[in-house]
């Protein structure tokens, strides 16, 4: 199982087949609520459901409880659970700036090729 440090910290809380709610996990890890919800979503809602949660299947509520998924099986030898995405990687302004730089570089290359 390949996870980041925060996900491993959360998974270590479930060593004795316990049930924990979001507030306990947040207090035990010392993370803020938004990051804790994103991390729990990667472990309970995404492709590999290592933890099962109570309540709605698509969102993480404040009163959701989590238990280890005893019926979890995967034929792969290595399982990589991706970390939650952050807003910095998908910021519209940054994407637009990166695109304009790439477009300008392509235009300069084309103009240099036509000049010779």
């Amino acid at each position: 199982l390949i996870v980041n440090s925060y996900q491993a910290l959360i998974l270590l809380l479930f060593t004795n087949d316990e049930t924990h709610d979001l507030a306990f996990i947040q207090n035990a890890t010392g993370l803020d609520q938004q990051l804790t919800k994103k991390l729990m979503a990667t472990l309970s809602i995404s492709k590999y459901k290592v933890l099962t949660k109570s309540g709605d299947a698509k969102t993480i509520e404040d009163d959701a409880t989590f238990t280890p998924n005893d019926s979890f099986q995967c034929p792969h030898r290595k399982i990589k659970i991706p970390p939650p995405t952050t807003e910095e990687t998908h910021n519209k302004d940054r994407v637009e700036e990166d695109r304009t730089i790439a477009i300008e570089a392509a235009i300069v290359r084309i103009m240099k090729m036509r000049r010779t």
Side-chain angles (χ1 to χ4, degrees), residues 22 26 29-39:
L22 190 65
Q26 183 179 347
T29 57
L31 301 172
D32 63 333
Q33 185 175 15
Q34 286 297 98
L35 182 59
T36 306
K37 281 186 175 184
K38 288 179 182 180
L39 289 166

Side-chain angles (χ1 to χ4, degrees), residues 61 68 71:
E61 298 88 12
S71 62

Side-chain angles (χ1 to χ4, degrees), residues 3 17 19 22 24 27 29 32 39 43-44 55 57 60 62-63 65-67 72 76 82 85 88 105 111 113 116:
V3 294
D17 230 9
T19 299
L22 190 65
F24 174 81
N27 290 335
T29 57
D32 63 333
L39 289 166
L43 295 171
S44 63
I60 306 269
D62 293 336
D63 60 345
T65 57
F66 300 91
T67 56
F72 177 75
H76 304 294
T85 58
E88 294 97 30
M111 290 175 67
M113 287 173 53
T116 59

Side-chain angles (χ1 to χ4, degrees), residues 4-90:
N4 71 8
S5 301
Y6 291 140
Q7 291 168 326
L9 183 65
I10 290 172
L11 288 175
L12 284 174
L13 295 173
F14 294 95
T15 55
N16 295 329
D17 230 9
E18 302 154 338
T19 299
H20 297 301
D21 61 344
L22 190 65
F24 174 81
I25 295 168
Q26 183 179 347
N27 290 335
T29 57
L31 301 172
D32 63 333
Q33 185 175 15
Q34 286 297 98
L35 182 59
T36 306
K37 281 186 175 184
K38 288 179 182 180
L39 289 166
M40 294 310 293
T42 61
L43 295 171
S44 63
I45 297 175
S46 64
K47 182 178 179 181
Y48 301 110
K49 294 173 178 57
V50 179
L51 299 175
T52 57
K53 66 177 229 48
S54 64
D56 186 24
K58 296 292 181 190
T59 59
I60 306 269
E61 298 88 12
D62 293 336
D63 60 345
T65 57
F66 300 91
T67 56
N69 187 1
D70 295 330
S71 62
F72 177 75
Q73 290 182 352
C74 186
H76 304 294
R77 187 175 179 98
K78 288 184 181 179
I79 301 170
K80 182 174 183 353
I81 298 177
T85 58
T86 57
E87 286 82 29
E88 294 97 30
T89 58
H90 299 294

